[in-house]
Each structure stands twice: as structure tokens, then as C-alpha cells.
Amino acid sequence: MKLTRQKHAKKNMGFYKHNFHFREPFQVLLDGTFCQAALRNKIQIREQLPGYLDGAVQLCTTGCVLKELESLGKALYGAKLIAQRFQVRNCSHHKDPVSGSACLLSMIEEGNPHHFFIATQDQDLANKVKKKAGVPLLFIIQNTMVLDKPSPKSLAFVQKLQTNQLVPEHQKQSIVQLKEKEGLAKQEGEKRRKRKRAGGPNPLSCLKKKKKKTQEGQEPSAEKNKRRKRKRKRVKAEAMLSVKNEEE
């Protein structure tokens, strides 16, 4: 049973790693209900969860969750002690705290850019999480932690990605950050500014080609000069001969 559960967890983690770029350390947002269930079932979250997800984990919560646990008094005192051991992520409800479930939902808005897992036993919160693509859901059942299979919303989102109908927001941000890091964004901007003007022909192509005097081209002119000299000599010789004949 344990091997089957681990196998399903590995498969589901592969889905989120490949399609939504989840990386270690995995950030898990926990609410009071999950902490209470872990306490009741004697589950050591910090020790057991990294092995189950097969990677380093950062356990975290929010100020709203802690205040909600404080307001519930002694009934959830043990859950409050557990939650206080986790890192507290900043939320937008410093002045006006909201319920723990509403706060966690606000942390995964806009495509879950921080790649949070949500760990809860609140069924209403779980149903709302399933309506958002790319948000892994953890819960406790039969004394064990379980990573829920990808929701239909996540599967449909990945299907659209594979048909190139949209690009996830977190991926756009990652691309922009990588371009800025490598200096590609600036180069692309410069390339766009430097547009090629419609110019005329290449000025080098307009230059007149110099005639090459080849040895072959010189030979016919030399022969021509020789012929002229011979002709002059012959004409001169004939003239002298005719003068001589007249004198005789």
C-alpha cells in the first residue's frame, strides 16, 4: 500500500514539475485544519513530507491562519503551536485579517507564480483550489498524507499548452527574467530600433571595371605593328627600285 501511494505521489509530482515548473524546495502552505489533523493522527509533517514528495520542503503559513487559530482558543491550541514553527509568508491582509481559507486562496492568485502547495482538510477550500490550474493539493486520510491527483482544470490547462493556445503567466515571467539575466532583452530592443533602410545599389557595384591587359590581348597588337613595319619597308624598297630603273 505504501509503495503504491509513493508511486502515485511520484507520478503527480512529475506532472507538476514538467508542466508547471515546480522545483525544490517545494513551498507548502498549511492551514489550521491540516495541522490539527496531523496532530490527531500523530503525523510528523516536517520529517515525513520531504520523503513523500521526494525533495526538500519549506513549510509555511500566513499571519491570517495564525490569527484564526488564536481566535479559536484552546480547542486548536496544539495546531497553533505546530503552525507557529513554520515560516510566515507575507499576505495582503496586514491591517484587515481574513479567514485562513480566504488568505490561502489569495496566495495562489494569478497562476500561482510562487508555486505553492496547499495543505488543508477544509473541503470547501479544497474544491476552490481544484478550480485553479497548477496548484497541488495535500490532505490527510487514514493517518497518511496524500498528494491529490491533478485536477481537471490543470489537465485542461496543460492540454491547451500542448496545442500552443496560451502561455502560462509564470513562464512569461521566467522568460523575461532569463532574457534580462543574459542581456538578451536589451539586444532585442536595439535590433528593433535598427531597422534597415531601403537603400540603393551597392556603391562598389557601380564602379567601372578596369580592363585587364592580358598577355593574350597584347600579342595581336604586337603582330599588327610588325606587319606595318614590313609593309613600310616593302613600299620603301619598291619606291627605291622604281627610281633606280628610271635612272637607268
Side-chain angles (χ1 to χ4, degrees):
M1 186 70 180
K2 186 177 179 180
L3 289 173
T4 303
R5 185 170 63 90
Q6 195 73 34
K7 185 178 179 181
H8 288 165
K10 187 175 181 180
K11 180 181 178 182
N12 294 336
M13 283 301 301
F15 174 85
Y16 288 109
K17 286 179 181 179
H18 179 72
N19 296 298
F20 294 96
H21 304 279
F22 276 72
R23 295 292 181 268
E24 296 181 45
F26 306 120
Q27 299 191 80
V28 182
L29 276 175
L30 303 97
D31 70 352
T33 62
F34 192 89
C35 295
Q36 180 68 9
L39 180 64
R40 190 185 305 117
N41 292 283
K42 299 180 180 180
I43 294 174
Q44 301 295 325
I45 303 173
R46 194 181 297 276
E47 287 75 19
Q48 294 177 231
L49 193 55
Y52 178 60
L53 297 181
D54 194 27
V57 170
Q58 281 186 352
L59 300 175
C60 44
T61 187
T62 67
C64 292
V65 171
L66 293 175
K67 287 179 180 179
E68 184 180 56
L69 288 171
E70 287 177 3
S71 67
L72 293 172
K74 293 182 179 179
L76 293 175
Y77 180 74
K80 185 188 75 170
L81 291 179
I82 293 173
Q84 285 175 340
R85 299 174 186 172
F86 306 148
Q87 298 179 20
V88 179
R89 291 286 181 264
N90 293 326
C91 63
S92 58
H93 315 115
H94 303 292
K95 295 181 180 179
D96 300 309
V98 296
S99 66
S101 59
C103 185
L104 293 191
L105 281 174
S106 71
M107 298 292 284
I108 56 174
E109 292 292 339
E110 300 178 1
N112 192 19
H114 299 291
H115 301 90
F116 285 123
F117 288 66
I118 297 295
T120 183
Q121 296 295 104
D122 185 341
Q123 193 59 47
D124 183 56
L125 174 58
N127 291 334
K128 290 177 180 177
V129 169
K130 290 178 182 180
K131 293 179 181 178
K132 297 181 180 294
V135 185
L137 181 65
L138 283 162
F139 54 87
I140 295 172
I141 186 171
Q142 294 180 357
N143 302 330
T144 56
M145 290 180 291
V146 176
L147 175 62
D148 198 15
K149 63 183 180 181
S151 65
K153 190 76 174 180
S154 293
L155 295 173
F157 185 86
V158 171
Q159 185 65 32
K160 286 183 180 180
L161 279 180
Q162 291 175 350
T163 54
N164 296 324
Q165 290 183 10
L166 57 90
V167 175
E169 192 64 30
H170 68 271
Q171 218 170 36
K172 289 180 182 178
Q173 293 175 0
S174 299
I175 291 169
V176 171
Q177 289 172 0
L178 284 172
K179 284 185 176 180
E180 289 176 353
K181 186 178 178 181
E182 299 296 331
L184 296 176
K186 189 175 180 181
Q187 291 178 9
E188 286 183 358
E190 291 177 355
K191 285 180 181 178
R192 286 171 188 164
R193 291 190 204 104
K194 293 180 182 179
R195 293 183 179 177
K196 290 185 177 181
R197 297 178 182 176
N202 189 344
L204 294 176
S205 65
C206 299
L207 295 175
K208 292 183 178 180
K209 294 182 179 179
K210 293 182 180 180
K211 295 181 179 179
K212 294 182 180 179
K213 292 184 179 180
T214 60
Q215 192 173 3
E216 292 178 357
Q218 292 176 356
E219 286 180 358
S221 60
E223 289 180 2
K224 195 173 182 181
N225 290 334
K226 287 181 181 179
R227 289 173 187 169
R228 286 177 182 173
K229 287 180 182 179
R230 288 172 188 166
K231 188 175 181 181
R232 286 173 191 161
K233 287 180 181 180
R234 188 169 60 251
V235 170
K236 190 175 180 180
E238 288 176 356
M240 290 177 67
L241 183 61
S242 63
V243 169
K244 187 176 181 181
N245 292 335
E246 287 177 359
E247 287 178 355
E248 290 177 355

